[in-house]
Amino acid sequence: MFRATLKSLLARKVRLILSGLAVVLGVMFVSGAFVLTDTLGRSFDAIFADAYEGVDVNVAAKPKIDVGEAEGMPVAAPVPAATLDKVRAVPGVAEATGIVGVDGARLIGGNGKVVASFGPPQLGENWTGESDLVRLREGRAPQADDEIVINKALAVAGKVKVGDRVGVLTLQPKQEFTIVGVFGYSGGRDSIGGANEIMFTTPVAQRLMLGAPDTFSNISVTAAGGTSDEALRDAVAAAVGADFEVKTGAQLSEDAAAGMKEALSFFNRILLGFAAVALLVGTFLILNTFSIIVAQRTRELALMRAVGASGRQIIGSVVLEAVAVGLVASVLGLGAGIGIGALLAYLFSTFAGGLTLAGIGVPLSAVVGAFAVGLVITVVAALLPALRASRIPPIAAMQDVATPDRPLTKVTVAGAIVTAVGGTLLALGLTGNAGGNTLATILGGVLFAFIGVALLTPLISRPVVSLLGAIFAWSVPGKLGRLNSGRNPRRTAITAAALMVGIALVTGVTVILDSAKSSIGGLAQDSLKAELVIAGAQSGPRPPSFDPEVLKKAAAIPGVRLADGEYGDLAMVGGERTWVAASSDVAALRQIFGAEPTAGDIDRLAPDGMLVSSDTATARGLSVGSKVPVQTSRGEARTYTVTGIYASSQLTNPVVLPAEAASGFAIPQPIQGFIQLAPGTRVADVQPQIEALLADSPEVSVADREAFIEQQTGQLDGLLTMIQILLALAIVIAVLGIINTLALSVLERTRELGLLRAIGLRRSQTMRMITVEAVVISVFGALLGVVVGAGLGAAVVEALRDEGITDLVLPWTQMGIFLGLAAIVGVVAAALPAVRAARINVLGAIAHD
């Protein structure tokens, strides 16, 4: 039996390899994700080990606000200079150095634009001298207040050199400095981890990066001979007290690397998610392939049963074929995954500004994941055909076996049950009744919904395919192609279902994002009463900001009625982390956003007052006169009194503090500005004047309301494009499925095709017949996809209504494009099978058994 299985496998190796390509692509994503995260993880381990190489113990103040990875830029609490004196007095300390090192120093390059960084920090530091790690390559150390040194990577990126006069943005607006030196790192490195670094004299770094004199962001301590790092850490911790975090250099390196790896896990989950989609589609392909092969081998399997093979042996034979396919696909997928992981790591390092990569490694998780996924998916997909093969009676070997249609009752009932389960899970997840497992519940609901629809597809395939095929029924090849596509509803349904998954996901995501864009745009058009908006595109954890003097000067421009700037920060409000805003003119803010009071006065705000939204007031039990403690990122804890409550809106923050509070924000400068014009004033007359005021704030620009709304919603277009590119993999696998199904179908109908050719069907007509069959199946799958995707997308939009997504937008143009592309996909998929069918030897085909 084993030898017979091997011979059978080798006889159909091309067909099985074609079906195995689906597994190869899915395994490629799985193994590639693990290779990528392993490579980048080890790279960051090396980077942080280098960064803290000369640090035995580090002292830093505990942050006032804990900021998560996705919440913005963490703010270091300042360490007083007096603490440095305490540390120096600790026995076992050989040297203690006050360090200023804070993200947020941006150099304006030779082209007048800010040198951007997409990931690595932009550090503003104090120059503490050369060391084994840091060496000046050109020039000298900074001595005057208007002198800086920069690392080589920043000099290259900004196209600047020693002697150039440049602008630098920090906590304060643009200031001019002279570059007096360029430094690098040991080993010929221009940077560590791609970071851009600007070093000032210590007093200037304290003022610009910490906002206070005689303070540091941390203290670097070197242990005296004979003192271990751990012992020194404990001694320093006892001396400085509980308000400080004291760690060894090794701990700092491990913590920093762990934080970066946590951020990288996000990309890992994305890749694994798309791998799951690819494998789901691949399951349909493999199931169809083995089903057709079993149908074609009915007489062969029946003969095996007749000569003594048991049902268990038949199952083992089919499963063994699946294992062989899975093993080959896993090996190929693992190899492709290593290549993809290495490529993505290279692209990441380039995008991140020259990150030095560790050697490409293959972690055990990649190998285990590749073979586990490849084997499990292939064997599971082959189980049903294997069970079907075991039930073939020996008598079938004695008759001319066809593949009769079986009743669809069982599969229809199963499809209805699975679809109901999927709908229930979606309802629970979208209504917030999933008990803390919302995402998993929704994903489970989507998976069950897809499987359920796929099971129900045979029920509707014959009438729908017949209707679609009527378009081509004007010719004999068209009629034959139409009949062929509907002759086996199960096979047609499974082939179409593979394409349905990819197109349904793309359609659903498009519905959600287009609805979000429409809702956000409509809300802004209705609520934002400013003709001009000052803002910039955020590319990192720090939003762009500008000089608050711009607003004062803008207010004096003829034709400007109101000018308001909005500051933002993450703060602890009443013991809860909350996004807060501060306004330079509360009365103007109210008019610009059309805010309506529900209690108290919202037209003015005293230095110790605060305004809250009605939702926040209700949730926290606040009313006018309530006292609320607030801790901002940099300021001291302070208690504010609620003096007004305004109606909640999607465009307003839950809490508004007085302008004076912004000095304690992470970014003490406005991040958005709103200009309202007097009636009769043209935007074109005022906009150039405000642009001139922003000459020293190159991170931001001024745009009219429509352009600002388009800029904000345009970010969703980039997200949609990325998702469409990744989901294109599922569509590619579906195309393989159509090719495979047609190729096997042509082989199955060899005698039939020979007879058709014998009675006069020309080669071109044979090719057209196969092409019509492919186009009908492909368009059927696409039609299912757009219907299912639109339905799932509409359900999600409805669930998000309370979150401000109120408009349901169905992308009719894109859905029409999907159907058109499906027809093209059918033509492309039919090419090889059609050519093969046309080249069939007529006499040999008639004699084919």
Side-chain angles (χ1 to χ4, degrees), residues 655-677:
V655 176
V656 177
L657 299 177
E660 294 82 357
S663 61
F665 283 11
I667 302 173
Q669 297 178 40
I671 56 178
Q672 285 186 330
F674 304 98
I675 311 297
Q676 188 181 88
L677 304 181

Side-chain angles (χ1 to χ4, degrees), residues 38-63:
D38 174 74
T39 301
L40 293 181
R42 287 184 293 105
S43 300
F44 283 113
D45 283 340
I47 287 170
F48 291 119
D50 284 345
Y52 297 109
E53 182 181 359
V55 179
D56 293 334
V57 172
N58 184 79
V59 180
K62 294 180 179 178

Side-chain angles (χ1 to χ4, degrees), residues 670-749:
I671 56 178
Q672 285 186 330
F674 304 98
I675 311 297
Q676 188 181 88
L677 304 181
T681 303
R682 296 195 315 149
V683 169
D685 294 335
V686 178
Q687 187 170 352
Q689 300 181 64
I690 297 178
E691 287 175 348
L693 296 177
L694 293 170
D696 288 339
S697 300
E699 289 182 302
V700 299
S701 60
V702 60
D704 60 43
R705 178 170 53 194
E706 286 70 24
F708 170 72
I709 294 171
E710 184 176 349
Q711 179 192 54
Q712 299 302 305
T713 57
Q715 299 175 15
L716 297 177
D717 291 330
L719 176 62
L720 178 60
T721 300
M722 181 189 73
I723 293 173
Q724 288 174 337
I725 291 173
L726 290 172
L727 286 176
L729 174 66
I731 297 175
V732 169
I733 295 175
V735 174
L736 292 176
I738 297 173
I739 295 173
N740 206 22
T741 299
L742 290 175
L744 292 172
S745 181
V746 166
L747 184 64
E748 185 180 50
R749 303 192 328 245

Side-chain angles (χ1 to χ4, degrees), residues 480 484 751-762 769:
L480 291 173
N484 286 335
R751 186 175 185 182
E752 174 187 317
L753 290 170
L755 290 171
L756 288 172
R757 291 291 312 284
I759 62 175
L761 193 70
R762 296 189 300 273
M769 177 185 70

